Amino acid sequence: MAALSSESFTFNQIKGISEKASFCILLYLICLQFKLKNMWKFPGGLSEPGEDIGDTAVREVFEETGIKSEFRSLLSIRQQHTHPGAFGKSDMYIICRLKPYSFTINFCQHECLRCEWMDLSDLVKTENTTPITSRVARLLLYGYREGFDKIDLTMEELPAVYTGLFYKIYHKELPDSYKTMTGMD
């Protein structure tokens, strides 16, 4: 069991995850046991046209689990070509970290056998899971123990070259001195 700081964390991915801190003592992930393969995985799904990554993660976690949350960061991206469910396109599986605002599970019984908060250290040891769930559990455990700044890709909105438009860029956090740097020192 891992001790936790004063802030609760949730993890999510566009195609599946979520995590919580219970009473700031234990670190938990919300996991779904999928009907299709009877394995533990993270909640998630497809983006709507024009929907931002964080908005998709928050929406999908709510739709599949009933958990309300807020986007915190991007954790990783898996790219796969010829994915059977990707409509003939390359598939990008984007994993995000979210902060939960509710903890009562009301899961989608159409897609899932079970849904529960699972201790992160237990998920790392679980054999009945997908390879990406297992890898992400280890990534999250590392971030939890060593600091999420070591794994997070934060989002910043910047003005585009087109007047009035903006884009979102995801990257490791820059030190303040580099954010305002004007020339070479």
Side-chain angles (χ1 to χ4, degrees):
M1 304 272 177
L4 187 62
S5 68
S6 62
E7 185 174 3
S8 296
F9 294 96
T10 295
F11 300 90
N12 176 295
Q13 57 196 25
I14 289 192
K15 282 187 143 184
I17 184 173
S18 190
E19 177 256 350
K20 124 181 177 178
S22 177
F23 307 107
C24 300
I25 297 171
L26 303 176
L27 189 65
Y28 288 92
L29 290 170
I30 191 162
C31 292
L32 302 173
Q33 195 167 28
F34 245 174
K35 282 187 174 181
L36 184 62
K37 300 213 180 214
N38 196 19
M39 298 180 104
W40 290 106
K41 69 174 289 297
F42 304 119
L46 301 174
S47 290
E48 299 294 333
E51 187 175 38
D52 287 335
I53 292 168
D55 295 338
T56 300
V58 168
R59 177 182 54 77
E60 284 290 341
V61 165
F62 181 74
E63 287 176 3
E64 292 188 8
T65 68
I67 303 296
K68 294 179 182 177
S69 59
E70 171 186 284
F71 175 80
R72 300 302 291 222
S73 70
L74 195 93
L75 292 175
S76 68
I77 300 170
R78 184 223 61 210
Q79 180 180 21
Q80 182 178 350
H81 304 292
T82 65
H83 185 280
F87 313 104
K89 309 284 184 198
S90 292
D91 182 54
M92 301 293 283
Y93 191 81
I94 301 171
I95 302 168
C96 303
R97 185 164 68 88
L98 305 179
K99 179 179 180 178
Y101 287 109
S102 67
F103 301 97
T104 302
I105 296 171
N106 183 15
F107 72 96
C108 175
Q109 295 180 4
H110 174 70
E111 294 184 45
C112 310
L113 290 172
R114 292 180 13 201
C115 180
E116 62 185 62
W117 292 106
M118 187 178 289
D119 187 285
L120 182 55
S121 58
D122 290 340
L123 183 59
V124 165
K125 297 178 223 165
T126 300
E127 292 181 18
N128 191 20
T129 188
T130 65
I132 195 165
T133 300
S134 178
R135 176 57 60 95
V136 170
R138 286 166 173 74
L139 176 69
L140 294 173
L141 189 59
Y142 172 69
Y144 172 71
R145 289 178 175 168
E146 304 298 326
F148 286 108
D149 61 314
K150 297 197 182 321
I151 63 170
D152 281 349
L153 299 176
T154 59
M155 185 274 295
E156 187 174 357
E157 191 169 78
L158 299 173
V161 295
Y162 305 103
T163 306
L165 296 179
F166 293 85
Y167 62 87
K168 293 180 178 172
I169 183 171
Y170 297 84
H171 57 81
K172 297 281 288 168
E173 188 67 30
L174 283 173
D176 287 336
S177 60
Y178 281 84
K179 288 180 184 178
T180 58
M181 184 183 273
T182 57
M184 301 297 286
D185 292 338

